[in-house]
């Protein structure tokens, strides 16, 4: 099997080299250094985050392994033959990392630290009523690998957790619904962990904000295109949404002129809520390439029909 690794700005000694060591009977090439390599000889690709993967360079490609959990860019890429199976990354550390981010952001919102930060900038000493977590409802949009672990952690702190999924499959301790209207109607804090698909694009918008109680907080950790930026700015200015914590943006890096950067009711982080490390991803990549080579079903294949 011949494998190409196409991860922009990566460190080969942390990705390509350990893959090659584990698959010593196969050949692993760097996409940036394919001189002398017959492009038709490439069977499988390991790809990171790119605007265009140019995978049509490899006419005999039969398997794509993503190093990202979200594969929305891969599914939109016209250089990828829809018949080639794509596996997304599901490594053991990513849900742990995301759960830490969710806890940090939800507790920041719950303890009103956004409000106290604004008060501090005006040297205002005002103590505010503070409910306990048990009196607060957190809506987790997406009950997948990330949403389920985050929901369990939020439950352990005492929050009431309601969850949104496509199928409504039961999750311990979470009131799961397939209706976003139901999920949002009592939520004080919303955490978005949905995949970006035709159904979920723009899901955080004026219509859905209107379902939330006044003073709610939005935490978007999934994809920028889930959010309609102008609708959020409007809801913030009216106070309907008190604060937004945003890790992902339609254009990344977030352009310097974007209003989110200096908005007092917005917290911006640079798409870092959960990061892949080669140490946790490489074993998953190797396992899936071995499965592909043996003609077995790779793990975590994406269903193009539902978009995730
Ligand atoms: P996942 O395991 O595929 O789970 C997706 C969840 O969303 C499932 O519960 C699914 O429902 C639900 N869903 C999908 N379409 C829906 C719809 N139309 N209506 C309602 N629910 C729907 O995904 P994951 O691994 O948890 O990752 C989620 C997303 O997080 C990724 O796609 C990526 O965009 C984002 N992410 C962000 C970062 C970051 O650093 N900011 C890092 C990693 C991932 P079912 O359970 O019924 O299938």
């Amino acid at each position: 099997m011949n494998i190409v690794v196409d991860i922009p700005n990566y460190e080969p000694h942390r990705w390509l080299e350990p893959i090659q060591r584990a698959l010593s009977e196969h050949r692993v090439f760097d996409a940036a250094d394919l001189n002398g390599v017959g492009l038709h000889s490439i069977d499988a690709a390991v790809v990171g985050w790119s605007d265009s993967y140019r995978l049509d360079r490899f006419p005999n490609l039969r398997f794509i392994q993503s190093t990202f959990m979200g594969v929305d860019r891969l599914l939109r890429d016209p250089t990828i033959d829809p018949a080639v199976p794509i596996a997304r990354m599901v490594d053991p550390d990513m849900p742990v990392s995301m759960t830490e981010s969710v806890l940090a952001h939800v507790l920041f919102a719950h303890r009103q630290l956004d409000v106290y930060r604004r008060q501090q900038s005006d040297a205002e000493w005002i103590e505010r009523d503070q409910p306990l977590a048990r009196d607060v409802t957190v809506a987790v949009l997406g009950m997948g690998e990330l949403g389920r672990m985050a929901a369990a952690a939020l439950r352990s702190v005492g929050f009431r957790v309601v969850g949104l999924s496509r199928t409504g499959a039961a999750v311990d301790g979470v009131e799961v619904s397939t209706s976003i209207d139901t999920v949002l109607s009592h939520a004080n804090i919303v955490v978005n962990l949905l995949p970006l698909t035709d159904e979920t694009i723009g899901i955080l918008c004026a219509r859905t904000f209107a379902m939330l109680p006044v003073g709610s907080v939005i935490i978007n950790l999934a994809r920028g295109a889930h959010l309609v930026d102008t609708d959020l700015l409007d809801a913030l200015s009216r106070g309907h949404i008190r604060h937004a914590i945003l890790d992902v943006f339609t254009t990344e890096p977030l352009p310097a002129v974007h209003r989110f950067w200096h908005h007092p009711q917005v917290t911006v982080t640079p798409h870092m809520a959960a990061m892949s490390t080669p140490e946790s991803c490489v074993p998953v990549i190797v396992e899936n390439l071995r499965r592909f080579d043996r003609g077995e079903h790779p793990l975590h294949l994406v269903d193009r029909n539902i978009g995730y």
Side-chain angles (χ1 to χ4, degrees):
M1 166 171 62
N2 283 344
I3 303 149
V4 67
V5 176
D6 192 354
I7 307 176
N9 308 316
Y10 81 131
E11 297 166 290
H13 71 276
R14 295 182 68 201
W15 292 92
L16 189 149
E17 291 171 21
I19 295 172
Q20 179 66 88
R21 274 197 299 277
L23 299 173
S24 54
E25 68 279 34
H26 302 290
R27 298 180 72 198
V28 187
F29 301 102
D30 186 331
D33 184 16
L34 286 172
N35 276 343
V37 179
L39 299 185
H40 60 278
S41 73
I42 299 294
D43 305 293
V46 176
V47 299
W49 181 266
S50 169
D51 286 327
S52 172
Y53 301 87
R54 297 191 299 121
L55 293 177
D56 50 359
R57 286 181 291 167
F58 312 115
N60 294 319
L61 190 69
R62 287 175 292 125
F63 175 57
I64 299 169
Q65 171 67 56
S66 167
T67 64
F68 275 73
M69 288 186 107
V71 287
D72 40 289
R73 284 188 173 205
L74 280 165
L75 295 184
R76 281 199 314 265
D77 191 320
T79 75
I80 295 176
D81 177 349
V84 178
I86 299 174
R88 70 192 193 98
M89 175 51 59
V90 179
D91 73 288
D93 284 354
M94 192 75 106
V96 179
S97 178
M98 181 59 88
T99 295
E100 291 182 4
S101 286
V102 169
L103 282 177
H105 295 319
V106 168
L107 286 170
F108 175 90
H110 168 57
R111 299 300 303 192
Q112 306 176 82
L113 297 181
D114 55 305
V115 178
Y116 290 117
R117 198 180 63 183
R118 292 200 293 276
Q119 284 185 195
Q120 183 176 348
S121 62
D122 296 332
E124 277 183 341
W125 185 278
I126 305 168
E127 293 168 46
R128 302 192 173 261
D129 290 344
Q130 177 61 57
L132 292 175
R134 66 175 180 237
D135 298 318
V136 171
T137 299
V138 181
V140 179
L141 310 184
M143 287 280 100
E145 299 290 335
L146 301 178
R148 285 195 306 275
M149 187 182 278
L154 291 167
R155 288 265 307 140
S156 74
V157 178
F159 291 104
R160 175 174 173 248
V161 181
V162 293
L164 177 74
S165 77
R166 196 178 53 83
T167 55
V171 176
D172 245 11
V174 179
E175 294 166 47
V176 181
S177 172
T178 57
S179 155
I180 189 154
D181 299 27
T182 305
V183 169
L184 294 186
S185 56
H186 301 293
N188 310 100
I189 300 170
V190 180
V191 179
N192 180 33
L193 289 172
L194 286 166
L196 185 65
T197 68
D198 291 346
E199 277 73 47
T200 65
I201 191 165
I203 197 165
L204 300 173
C205 63
R207 190 190 83 79
T208 46
F209 295 153
M211 290 167 200
L212 290 165
V214 172
S216 309
V217 173
I218 301 286
I219 302 172
N220 187 18
L221 307 177
R223 286 290 179 266
H226 282 129
L227 174 72
V228 179
D229 293 4
T230 49
D231 289 2
L232 175 65
L233 288 166
D234 177 60
L236 289 169
S237 69
R238 290 184 288 106
H240 190 83
I241 303 293
R242 188 185 87 215
H243 196 79
I245 298 170
L246 307 176
D247 184 57
V248 284
F249 304 90
T250 304
T251 305
E252 295 181 2
L254 182 65
V257 294
H258 200 291
R259 287 181 60 196
F260 286 158
W261 274 119
H262 301 291
H263 198 298
Q265 291 160 272
V266 177
T267 298
V268 169
T269 54
H271 198 150
M272 47 59 76
M275 311 246 264
S276 291
T277 65
E279 289 70 28
S280 65
C281 289
V282 165
V284 180
I285 294 168
V286 167
E287 167 66 14
N288 252 2
L289 287 168
R290 286 202 175 116
R291 281 171 176 253
F292 163 69
D293 184 50
R294 292 193 298 253
E296 294 169 9
H297 220 57
L299 300 169
H300 311 297
L301 284 181
V302 175
D303 181 344
R304 274 191 178 265
N305 293 321
I306 54 171
Y308 66 98

